[in-house]
Amino acid sequence: MAAWLAGSSSKLAHSAARRLAGDLRRRGPDPWLLSSSTMPARGQLAGDLRGFCSVRRFAGDSTAATAAEESENEFAGGDLQQVVDFPGGKLSFVGEMNFVPESQRERIKCYRVLDDDGGIIYSSRFQEVGKELALKMYSNMVTLQIMDTIFYEAQRQGRISFYITSNGEEAINIASAAALSADDIVLPQYREPGVLLWRGFTPQEFANQLFGNKMDYGKGRQMPIHYGSNRLNYFTISSPIATQLPQAVGAAYSLKMDKKDACAITYFGDGGTSEGDFHAALNFAAVKEAPMIFFCRNNGWAISTPTTEQFRSDGIVTRGQAYGIRSIRVDGNDTLAVYSAVHTAREMAIAEGRPILIEAMTYRVGHHSTSDDSTKYRPADEIEHWRTARDPISRYRKWVQGNGWWCDAEETELRNSVRQEILQAVQAAERIPKHGLAELFTDVYDQVPSNLHEQQRSLLDIIKKHPSDYPTEVNS
Protein backbone atom coordinates (compact mmCIF):
# COMPACT_ATOMS: atom_id res chain seq x y z
CA MET A 1 0.00 0.00 0.00
CA ALA A 2 2.85 2.41 0.86
CA ALA A 3 4.36 1.81 -2.58
CA TRP A 4 1.00 2.53 -4.24
CA LEU A 5 0.65 5.77 -2.29
CA ALA A 6 4.09 6.92 -3.31
CA GLY A 7 3.43 5.98 -6.94
CA SER A 8 0.10 7.76 -7.04
CA SER A 9 1.57 10.94 -5.57
CA SER A 10 4.39 10.81 -8.10
CA LYS A 11 1.94 10.34 -11.02
CA LEU A 12 -0.15 13.25 -9.81
CA ALA A 13 2.87 15.51 -9.51
CA HIS A 14 4.10 14.56 -13.03
CA SER A 15 0.64 15.15 -14.50
CA ALA A 16 0.45 18.56 -12.88
CA ALA A 17 3.95 19.35 -14.11
CA ARG A 18 3.01 18.47 -17.70
CA ARG A 19 -0.07 20.71 -17.53
CA LEU A 20 1.81 23.64 -16.00
CA ALA A 21 4.69 23.31 -18.45
CA GLY A 22 2.27 23.30 -21.39
CA ASP A 23 0.51 26.37 -20.06
CA LEU A 24 3.78 28.22 -19.64
CA ARG A 25 4.85 27.40 -23.23
CA ARG A 26 1.54 28.71 -24.62
CA ARG A 27 1.33 31.87 -22.49
CA GLY A 28 4.95 32.72 -21.96
CA PRO A 29 6.42 33.83 -18.62
CA ASP A 30 3.87 34.68 -15.94
CA PRO A 31 4.70 37.92 -14.09
CA TRP A 32 3.04 36.56 -10.90
CA LEU A 33 5.34 33.50 -10.74
CA LEU A 34 8.68 34.00 -9.07
CA SER A 35 11.62 33.21 -11.40
CA SER A 36 9.21 32.67 -14.29
CA SER A 37 11.71 33.93 -16.83
CA THR A 38 13.47 30.57 -16.83
CA MET A 39 11.63 27.39 -17.81
CA PRO A 40 12.50 24.65 -15.28
CA ALA A 41 13.35 21.16 -16.42
CA ARG A 42 10.58 18.59 -16.26
CA GLY A 43 12.15 16.70 -13.40
CA GLN A 44 12.88 19.87 -11.50
CA LEU A 45 9.31 21.14 -11.93
CA ALA A 46 7.83 17.85 -10.79
CA GLY A 47 10.04 17.90 -7.74
CA ASP A 48 9.04 21.45 -6.91
CA LEU A 49 5.36 20.62 -7.19
CA ARG A 50 5.77 17.56 -5.04
CA GLY A 51 7.17 19.76 -2.29
CA PHE A 52 4.55 22.45 -2.82
CA CYS A 53 1.44 20.28 -2.77
CA SER A 54 0.87 16.77 -1.54
CA VAL A 55 -2.29 14.69 -1.78
CA ARG A 56 -3.10 13.04 1.53
CA ARG A 57 -4.18 9.44 1.06
CA PHE A 58 -5.51 7.01 3.62
CA ALA A 59 -5.42 3.23 3.68
CA GLY A 60 -8.65 1.73 2.35
CA ASP A 61 -10.19 -0.62 -0.18
CA SER A 62 -10.00 -0.52 -3.94
CA THR A 63 -12.84 2.02 -4.06
CA ALA A 64 -10.57 4.58 -2.43
CA ALA A 65 -7.83 3.81 -4.91
CA THR A 66 -10.25 4.23 -7.82
CA ALA A 67 -11.42 7.58 -6.43
CA ALA A 68 -7.84 8.74 -6.15
CA GLU A 69 -7.13 7.80 -9.75
CA GLU A 70 -10.26 9.63 -10.89
CA SER A 71 -9.15 12.66 -8.90
CA GLU A 72 -5.78 12.59 -10.65
CA ASN A 73 -7.39 12.34 -14.05
CA GLU A 74 -9.69 15.28 -13.27
CA PHE A 75 -6.72 17.40 -12.22
CA ALA A 76 -4.81 16.46 -15.33
CA GLY A 77 -7.82 17.45 -17.44
CA GLY A 78 -8.04 20.88 -15.83
CA ASP A 79 -11.17 20.30 -13.71
CA LEU A 80 -11.34 23.18 -11.20
CA GLN A 81 -14.00 21.34 -9.19
CA GLN A 82 -11.40 19.04 -7.73
CA VAL A 83 -10.81 19.29 -3.98
CA VAL A 84 -7.32 18.77 -2.55
CA ASP A 85 -6.78 18.11 1.12
CA PHE A 86 -3.81 20.37 1.88
CA PRO A 87 -2.25 20.05 5.35
CA GLY A 88 -3.56 23.57 5.93
CA GLY A 89 -7.12 22.81 4.84
CA LYS A 90 -9.33 21.07 2.28
CA LEU A 91 -9.74 23.40 -0.69
CA SER A 92 -11.26 23.66 -4.15
CA PHE A 93 -9.80 25.82 -6.92
CA VAL A 94 -10.67 28.75 -9.17
CA GLY A 95 -9.15 29.91 -12.42
CA GLU A 96 -9.52 33.58 -11.57
CA MET A 97 -6.86 35.37 -9.54
CA ASN A 98 -9.07 37.00 -6.90
CA PHE A 99 -7.64 38.84 -3.93
CA VAL A 100 -9.82 38.93 -0.84
CA PRO A 101 -10.91 42.58 -0.45
CA GLU A 102 -9.69 44.58 2.51
CA SER A 103 -13.24 45.09 3.73
CA GLN A 104 -16.81 44.13 2.99
CA ARG A 105 -18.94 46.37 0.80
CA GLU A 106 -21.32 47.08 3.65
CA ARG A 107 -20.55 47.54 7.32
CA ILE A 108 -21.83 44.82 9.62
CA LYS A 109 -25.13 45.95 11.09
CA CYS A 110 -25.70 46.62 14.78
CA TYR A 111 -28.23 44.60 16.79
CA ARG A 112 -30.79 46.78 18.54
CA VAL A 113 -34.04 46.29 20.47
CA LEU A 114 -34.99 49.71 21.89
CA ASP A 115 -35.27 52.87 19.80
CA ASP A 116 -34.10 56.23 21.14
CA ASP A 117 -37.47 56.79 22.84
CA GLY A 118 -37.39 53.47 24.69
CA GLY A 119 -39.86 51.74 22.39
CA ILE A 120 -39.45 48.18 21.13
CA ILE A 121 -38.35 48.17 17.50
CA TYR A 122 -40.83 46.25 15.36
CA SER A 123 -39.76 42.65 14.64
CA SER A 124 -36.87 42.75 17.12
CA ARG A 125 -36.03 39.39 18.62
CA PHE A 126 -34.81 39.56 22.20
CA GLN A 127 -34.72 37.76 25.51
CA GLU A 128 -37.81 38.53 27.57
CA VAL A 129 -37.21 40.48 30.79
CA GLY A 130 -39.79 40.39 33.59
CA LYS A 131 -40.65 43.18 36.01
CA GLU A 132 -38.42 42.04 38.90
CA LEU A 133 -35.32 41.65 36.75
CA ALA A 134 -36.05 44.85 34.82
CA LEU A 135 -36.31 46.92 38.01
CA LYS A 136 -33.19 45.40 39.50
CA MET A 137 -31.26 46.24 36.35
CA TYR A 138 -32.55 49.81 36.39
CA SER A 139 -31.80 50.27 40.08
CA ASN A 140 -28.24 49.08 39.58
CA MET A 141 -27.73 51.39 36.60
CA VAL A 142 -28.86 54.37 38.68
CA THR A 143 -26.65 53.26 41.59
CA LEU A 144 -23.62 53.00 39.31
CA GLN A 145 -24.29 56.47 37.93
CA ILE A 146 -24.60 58.08 41.38
CA MET A 147 -21.60 56.15 42.70
CA ASP A 148 -19.49 57.48 39.82
CA THR A 149 -20.61 61.05 40.51
CA ILE A 150 -19.78 60.95 44.24
CA PHE A 151 -16.46 59.12 43.91
CA TYR A 152 -15.40 61.43 41.07
CA GLU A 153 -16.16 64.45 43.27
CA ALA A 154 -14.21 62.83 46.13
CA GLN A 155 -11.15 62.65 43.91
CA ARG A 156 -11.55 66.27 42.84
CA GLN A 157 -11.69 67.19 46.53
CA GLY A 158 -8.37 65.38 47.12
CA ARG A 159 -9.89 62.66 49.29
CA ILE A 160 -8.82 59.84 46.93
CA SER A 161 -5.99 59.89 44.40
CA PHE A 162 -7.59 58.55 41.22
CA TYR A 163 -10.89 57.49 39.70
CA ILE A 164 -12.43 56.23 36.46
CA THR A 165 -16.13 56.60 35.67
CA SER A 166 -18.46 54.46 33.56
CA ASN A 167 -20.65 57.35 32.44
CA GLY A 168 -22.50 56.43 29.26
CA GLU A 169 -21.65 52.74 29.60
CA GLU A 170 -24.02 51.78 32.41
CA ALA A 171 -26.08 49.50 30.13
CA ILE A 172 -22.98 47.53 29.16
CA ASN A 173 -22.04 47.03 32.81
CA ILE A 174 -25.38 46.03 34.27
CA ALA A 175 -27.10 44.30 31.36
CA SER A 176 -24.13 42.06 30.62
CA ALA A 177 -23.75 41.17 34.31
CA ALA A 178 -27.46 40.33 34.58
CA ALA A 179 -27.14 37.83 31.74
CA LEU A 180 -24.38 35.86 33.48
CA SER A 181 -24.53 33.37 36.33
CA ALA A 182 -22.67 33.70 39.63
CA ASP A 183 -20.43 30.78 38.60
CA ASP A 184 -19.18 32.56 35.49
CA ILE A 185 -15.68 33.98 35.86
CA VAL A 186 -15.15 37.68 35.14
CA LEU A 187 -11.83 39.15 34.04
CA PRO A 188 -12.53 42.89 33.71
CA GLN A 189 -10.63 45.86 32.44
CA TYR A 190 -11.24 48.95 34.61
CA ARG A 191 -14.59 50.29 33.39
CA GLU A 192 -16.80 47.45 34.64
CA PRO A 193 -17.50 48.19 38.32
CA GLY A 194 -21.19 47.68 37.54
CA VAL A 195 -20.55 43.99 36.95
CA LEU A 196 -19.15 43.75 40.47
CA LEU A 197 -22.00 45.87 41.83
CA TRP A 198 -24.54 43.50 40.28
CA ARG A 199 -22.83 40.51 41.90
CA GLY A 200 -23.18 41.96 45.39
CA PHE A 201 -20.14 44.19 46.00
CA THR A 202 -21.45 46.89 48.34
CA PRO A 203 -20.85 50.66 48.16
CA GLN A 204 -18.84 50.27 51.37
CA GLU A 205 -16.57 47.69 49.75
CA PHE A 206 -16.03 50.01 46.78
CA ALA A 207 -15.19 52.90 49.09
CA ASN A 208 -12.77 50.80 51.15
CA GLN A 209 -10.80 49.93 48.04
CA LEU A 210 -10.70 53.51 46.81
CA PHE A 211 -9.35 54.75 50.17
CA GLY A 212 -7.02 51.75 50.57
CA ASN A 213 -7.92 51.27 54.23
CA LYS A 214 -7.58 48.20 56.42
CA MET A 215 -10.87 46.81 55.14
CA ASP A 216 -9.62 46.88 51.54
CA TYR A 217 -9.14 43.31 50.28
CA GLY A 218 -6.01 44.41 48.43
CA LYS A 219 -4.52 45.91 51.61
CA GLY A 220 -4.09 49.30 49.95
CA ARG A 221 -1.53 48.02 47.46
CA GLN A 222 -3.55 48.63 44.32
CA MET A 223 -4.49 51.86 42.60
CA PRO A 224 -8.04 53.07 43.25
CA ILE A 225 -10.75 51.37 41.12
CA HIS A 226 -8.63 48.20 40.80
CA TYR A 227 -11.28 46.10 42.49
CA GLY A 228 -11.30 42.34 42.94
CA SER A 229 -13.33 39.72 44.76
CA ASN A 230 -12.64 36.00 45.11
CA ARG A 231 -16.07 35.56 46.61
CA LEU A 232 -17.76 37.00 43.52
CA ASN A 233 -15.54 35.35 40.87
CA TYR A 234 -14.24 38.76 39.81
CA PHE A 235 -10.51 38.81 39.08
CA THR A 236 -8.60 41.80 40.43
CA ILE A 237 -8.13 44.50 37.80
CA SER A 238 -4.62 45.12 36.51
CA SER A 239 -3.52 48.30 34.74
CA PRO A 240 -1.63 46.86 31.72
CA ILE A 241 -3.95 46.81 28.72
CA ALA A 242 -5.34 43.48 27.43
CA THR A 243 -3.26 41.22 29.67
CA GLN A 244 -6.48 39.77 31.06
CA LEU A 245 -7.58 38.39 27.67
CA PRO A 246 -5.29 35.33 27.35
CA GLN A 247 -5.70 34.77 31.09
CA ALA A 248 -9.47 34.61 30.57
CA VAL A 249 -9.04 31.95 27.90
CA GLY A 250 -7.05 29.87 30.35
CA ALA A 251 -9.79 30.26 32.94
CA ALA A 252 -12.44 29.28 30.40
CA TYR A 253 -10.44 26.24 29.30
CA SER A 254 -10.16 25.12 32.93
CA LEU A 255 -13.96 25.33 33.23
CA LYS A 256 -14.24 23.14 30.14
CA MET A 257 -11.77 20.58 31.49
CA ASP A 258 -13.69 20.43 34.79
CA LYS A 259 -16.99 20.10 32.86
CA LYS A 260 -18.45 23.13 34.65
CA ASP A 261 -21.75 24.63 33.53
CA ALA A 262 -20.14 28.05 33.32
CA CYS A 263 -18.09 30.30 31.07
CA ALA A 264 -15.53 33.07 31.42
CA ILE A 265 -16.05 36.61 30.19
CA THR A 266 -13.44 39.29 29.68
CA TYR A 267 -14.03 42.98 29.03
CA PHE A 268 -11.78 45.37 27.12
CA GLY A 269 -11.94 48.57 25.10
CA ASP A 270 -11.30 49.22 21.44
CA GLY A 271 -7.75 50.26 22.32
CA GLY A 272 -7.12 46.83 23.80
CA THR A 273 -7.60 45.24 20.37
CA SER A 274 -4.39 46.95 19.23
CA GLU A 275 -2.44 44.81 21.68
CA GLY A 276 -0.90 41.49 20.72
CA ASP A 277 -2.62 39.82 23.67
CA PHE A 278 -5.98 40.38 21.95
CA HIS A 279 -4.97 38.42 18.88
CA ALA A 280 -3.23 35.70 20.87
CA ALA A 281 -6.29 35.29 23.08
CA LEU A 282 -8.76 34.99 20.19
CA ASN A 283 -6.65 32.38 18.45
CA PHE A 284 -6.04 30.50 21.71
CA ALA A 285 -9.77 30.44 22.48
CA ALA A 286 -10.78 29.36 18.99
CA VAL A 287 -8.27 26.52 18.78
CA LYS A 288 -9.05 25.23 22.27
CA GLU A 289 -12.81 25.82 21.83
CA ALA A 290 -12.93 27.56 25.18
CA PRO A 291 -16.37 28.52 26.55
CA MET A 292 -15.90 32.25 26.89
CA ILE A 293 -17.17 35.65 25.85
CA PHE A 294 -14.92 38.42 24.59
CA PHE A 295 -16.78 41.66 25.30
CA CYS A 296 -15.37 44.75 23.60
CA ARG A 297 -16.59 48.21 24.56
CA ASN A 298 -16.03 50.19 21.37
CA ASN A 299 -16.51 53.75 22.62
CA GLY A 300 -14.45 55.25 19.83
CA TRP A 301 -11.48 56.38 21.89
CA ALA A 302 -8.41 54.77 23.42
CA ILE A 303 -7.85 57.67 25.83
CA SER A 304 -7.22 60.35 23.18
CA THR A 305 -6.58 58.07 20.20
CA PRO A 306 -9.65 57.69 17.94
CA THR A 307 -10.48 54.39 16.28
CA THR A 308 -9.59 55.92 12.90
CA GLU A 309 -5.97 55.94 14.02
CA GLN A 310 -6.11 52.44 15.53
CA PHE A 311 -7.32 50.21 12.71
CA ARG A 312 -8.79 50.17 9.18
CA SER A 313 -11.15 47.22 9.64
CA ASP A 314 -14.90 47.48 10.16
CA GLY A 315 -14.57 47.84 13.90
CA ILE A 316 -13.87 44.83 16.08
CA VAL A 317 -16.62 42.40 15.09
CA THR A 318 -14.87 41.42 11.84
CA ARG A 319 -11.82 40.20 13.76
CA GLY A 320 -13.77 37.26 15.13
CA GLN A 321 -14.36 35.65 11.76
CA ALA A 322 -10.66 35.84 10.97
CA TYR A 323 -10.01 33.60 13.97
CA GLY A 324 -13.02 31.36 13.45
CA ILE A 325 -15.08 32.94 16.23
CA ARG A 326 -18.80 33.64 16.07
CA SER A 327 -19.38 37.37 16.57
CA ILE A 328 -22.06 40.04 16.90
CA ARG A 329 -22.21 43.83 16.97
CA VAL A 330 -24.69 45.30 19.43
CA ASP A 331 -25.90 48.75 20.48
CA GLY A 332 -24.10 49.16 23.79
CA ASN A 333 -26.51 51.87 24.93
CA ASP A 334 -29.49 49.52 24.53
CA THR A 335 -29.98 47.62 27.80
CA LEU A 336 -32.25 44.94 26.31
CA ALA A 337 -29.97 44.38 23.32
CA VAL A 338 -26.89 43.92 25.52
CA TYR A 339 -28.76 41.59 27.87
CA SER A 340 -30.12 39.48 25.02
CA ALA A 341 -26.77 39.26 23.22
CA VAL A 342 -24.83 38.20 26.32
CA HIS A 343 -27.57 35.78 27.43
CA THR A 344 -27.50 34.04 24.03
CA ALA A 345 -23.71 34.18 23.77
CA ARG A 346 -23.39 32.49 27.16
CA GLU A 347 -25.71 29.67 26.12
CA MET A 348 -23.76 29.08 22.90
CA ALA A 349 -20.39 29.26 24.63
CA ILE A 350 -21.30 26.61 27.19
CA ALA A 351 -23.55 24.31 25.15
CA GLU A 352 -21.36 24.31 22.04
CA GLY A 353 -17.97 24.78 23.67
CA ARG A 354 -16.97 27.86 21.71
CA PRO A 355 -15.79 31.45 22.21
CA ILE A 356 -18.04 34.36 21.24
CA LEU A 357 -16.99 37.92 20.42
CA ILE A 358 -19.35 40.81 21.20
CA GLU A 359 -18.63 44.34 20.02
CA ALA A 360 -20.77 46.86 21.92
CA MET A 361 -20.96 50.24 20.21
CA THR A 362 -21.12 53.02 22.80
CA TYR A 363 -19.67 56.37 23.85
CA ARG A 364 -17.56 57.31 26.86
CA VAL A 365 -19.36 60.38 28.18
CA GLY A 366 -16.86 61.04 30.97
CA HIS A 367 -13.16 61.70 30.72
CA HIS A 368 -10.94 58.66 30.37
CA SER A 369 -9.97 59.14 34.01
CA THR A 370 -9.45 61.92 36.52
CA SER A 371 -6.03 62.41 34.88
CA ASP A 372 -7.64 63.24 31.53
CA ASP A 373 -9.44 66.20 29.96
CA SER A 374 -11.32 64.79 26.98
CA THR A 375 -12.41 68.26 25.77
CA LYS A 376 -8.85 68.64 24.48
CA TYR A 377 -9.44 66.03 21.77
CA ARG A 378 -13.21 65.92 21.19
CA PRO A 379 -15.89 68.65 20.97
CA ALA A 380 -17.79 69.52 24.13
CA ASP A 381 -21.09 69.63 22.23
CA GLU A 382 -20.53 66.07 21.02
CA ILE A 383 -20.06 64.91 24.62
CA GLU A 384 -23.19 66.77 25.70
CA HIS A 385 -25.23 65.21 22.89
CA TRP A 386 -24.33 61.69 23.99
CA ARG A 387 -24.84 62.59 27.65
CA THR A 388 -28.39 63.75 27.05
CA ALA A 389 -29.88 62.46 23.78
CA ARG A 390 -28.33 58.99 23.92
CA ASP A 391 -28.11 58.32 27.64
CA PRO A 392 -28.68 54.57 28.18
CA ILE A 393 -30.31 55.05 31.60
CA SER A 394 -32.94 57.50 30.36
CA ARG A 395 -33.66 55.29 27.36
CA TYR A 396 -34.13 52.19 29.47
CA ARG A 397 -36.22 54.09 32.02
CA LYS A 398 -38.67 55.06 29.27
CA TRP A 399 -39.19 51.38 28.48
CA VAL A 400 -39.57 50.40 32.15
CA GLN A 401 -41.92 53.28 32.83
CA GLY A 402 -43.85 52.54 29.65
CA ASN A 403 -44.62 49.09 31.04
CA GLY A 404 -46.16 50.68 34.14
CA TRP A 405 -43.36 49.38 36.38
CA TRP A 406 -41.92 52.74 37.49
CA CYS A 407 -42.94 56.29 38.35
CA ASP A 408 -41.38 59.65 39.21
CA ALA A 409 -41.93 59.23 42.95
CA GLU A 410 -40.03 55.94 42.96
CA GLU A 411 -37.26 57.58 40.95
CA THR A 412 -36.81 60.33 43.53
CA GLU A 413 -36.84 57.87 46.42
CA LEU A 414 -34.28 55.61 44.75
CA ARG A 415 -31.83 58.39 43.95
CA ASN A 416 -32.06 59.92 47.42
CA SER A 417 -31.52 56.61 49.23
CA VAL A 418 -28.61 55.56 47.00
CA ARG A 419 -26.91 58.93 47.41
CA GLN A 420 -27.16 58.73 51.19
CA GLU A 421 -25.80 55.20 51.26
CA ILE A 422 -22.76 56.08 49.17
CA LEU A 423 -22.01 59.28 51.10
CA GLN A 424 -22.10 57.30 54.33
CA ALA A 425 -19.77 54.71 52.80
CA VAL A 426 -17.27 57.43 51.88
CA GLN A 427 -17.34 58.91 55.37
CA ALA A 428 -16.89 55.50 56.98
CA ALA A 429 -14.03 54.53 54.65
CA GLU A 430 -12.18 57.73 55.51
CA ARG A 431 -12.30 56.93 59.22
CA ILE A 432 -10.90 53.42 58.89
CA PRO A 433 -7.11 53.38 59.43
CA LYS A 434 -4.68 52.52 56.67
CA HIS A 435 -2.43 49.47 56.67
CA GLY A 436 1.04 49.84 58.14
CA LEU A 437 4.10 49.89 55.90
CA ALA A 438 4.95 46.34 56.95
CA GLU A 439 2.12 45.08 54.75
CA LEU A 440 4.07 46.20 51.69
CA PHE A 441 6.49 43.35 52.26
CA THR A 442 4.13 40.47 53.01
CA ASP A 443 2.05 37.96 51.02
CA VAL A 444 4.73 37.28 48.39
CA TYR A 445 7.14 34.96 50.22
CA ASP A 446 6.31 32.45 52.93
CA GLN A 447 9.40 33.66 54.77
CA VAL A 448 10.35 37.27 54.05
CA PRO A 449 13.90 37.25 52.61
CA SER A 450 16.71 39.40 54.00
CA ASN A 451 16.77 41.84 51.06
CA LEU A 452 13.15 42.79 51.71
CA HIS A 453 13.88 43.26 55.41
CA GLU A 454 16.69 45.61 54.38
CA GLN A 455 14.38 47.55 52.06
CA GLN A 456 11.84 47.92 54.86
CA ARG A 457 14.49 49.28 57.26
CA SER A 458 15.73 51.69 54.61
CA LEU A 459 12.20 52.97 53.97
CA LEU A 460 11.56 53.56 57.69
CA ASP A 461 14.85 55.45 57.98
CA ILE A 462 13.81 57.77 55.13
CA ILE A 463 10.46 58.45 56.79
CA LYS A 464 12.19 59.29 60.09
CA LYS A 465 14.46 61.74 58.30
CA HIS A 466 11.56 63.42 56.45
CA PRO A 467 8.51 62.95 58.68
CA SER A 468 6.63 65.92 57.24
CA ASP A 469 6.50 64.27 53.82
CA TYR A 470 4.52 61.27 55.06
CA PRO A 471 1.22 60.73 56.88
CA THR A 472 1.70 59.95 60.57
CA GLU A 473 -0.03 56.56 60.32
CA VAL A 474 2.47 55.07 57.85
CA ASN A 475 5.49 54.94 60.14
CA SER A 476 4.86 51.41 61.40
Side-chain angles (χ1 to χ4, degrees), residues 230-290:
N230 291 337
R231 171 175 58 91
L232 300 174
N233 277 333
Y234 190 95
F235 273 56
T236 300
I237 297 166
S238 58
S239 292
I241 302 300
T243 55
Q244 75 276 15
L245 272 65
Q247 296 166 2
V249 181
Y253 190 49
S254 71
L255 292 173
K256 178 179 180 178
M257 293 176 67
D258 292 338
K259 296 180 171 54
K260 300 286 188 180
D261 185 26
C263 71
I265 183 170
T266 184
Y267 296 84
F268 52 98
D270 47 271
T273 68
S274 298
E275 297 288 339
D277 279 341
F278 167 78
H279 300 276
L282 261 65
N283 193 55
F284 182 19
V287 171
K288 290 300 182 183
E289 299 178 329

Side-chain angles (χ1 to χ4, degrees), residues 323-440:
Y323 289 102
I325 294 178
R326 194 174 295 171
S327 310
I328 187 172
R329 171 176 283 158
V330 60
D331 182 351
N333 287 19
D334 182 344
T335 305
L336 295 184
V338 173
Y339 175 79
S340 299
V342 175
H343 187 279
T344 304
R346 180 183 183 275
E347 289 183 340
M348 289 191 295
I350 296 173
E352 302 176 24
R354 65 165 67 245
I356 305 291
L357 171 63
I358 297 175
E359 178 186 21
M361 309 301 291
T362 186
Y363 189 87
R364 169 171 50 82
V365 172
H367 304 299
H368 173 76
S369 71
T370 50
S371 302
D372 173 49
D373 179 3
S374 62
T375 61
K376 300 296 184 182
Y377 52 83
R378 56 183 187 174
D381 57 349
E382 174 187 293
I383 300 172
E384 182 63 17
H385 169 73
W386 281 91
R387 188 186 70 81
T388 55
R390 299 196 178 276
D391 174 43
I393 299 179
S394 298
R395 182 172 165 192
Y396 182 57
R397 179 188 173 183
K398 292 175 183 177
W399 177 77
V400 173
Q401 203 157 342
N403 288 327
W405 297 340
W406 199 247
C407 66
D408 293 345
E410 291 171 307
E411 179 78 14
T412 301
E413 181 182 354
L414 171 65
R415 289 185 174 274
N416 287 339
S417 64
V418 169
R419 181 173 178 81
Q420 287 301 314
E421 182 183 9
I422 296 173
L423 287 173
Q424 290 172 8
V426 169
Q427 294 167 3
E430 283 184 307
R431 291 194 296 266
I432 299 173
K434 302 286 194 291
H435 283 280
L437 281 182
E439 288 290 357
L440 284 176

Side-chain angles (χ1 to χ4, degrees), residues 189 192 244 267-273 295-299 316:
Q189 193 179 19
E192 293 82 31
Q244 75 276 15
Y267 296 84
F268 52 98
D270 47 271
T273 68
F295 196 107
C296 176
R297 296 173 288 93
N298 185 349
N299 60 29
I316 313 303

Side-chain angles (χ1 to χ4, degrees), residues 165-218:
T165 70
S166 303
N167 298 145
E169 301 182 18
E170 293 90 352
I172 286 175
N173 273 251
I174 303 304
S176 65
L180 302 171
S181 82
D183 293 328
D184 296 330
I185 298 175
V186 179
L187 286 92
Q189 193 179 19
Y190 41 63
R191 216 177 294 279
E192 293 82 31
V195 179
L196 196 52
L197 176 68
W198 178 270
R199 293 193 161 203
F201 212 67
T202 66
Q204 189 62 65
E205 289 176 300
F206 281 109
N208 290 339
Q209 196 283 330
L210 294 173
F211 283 89
N213 59 38
K214 284 191 173 181
M215 299 302 293
D216 169 30
Y217 303 130

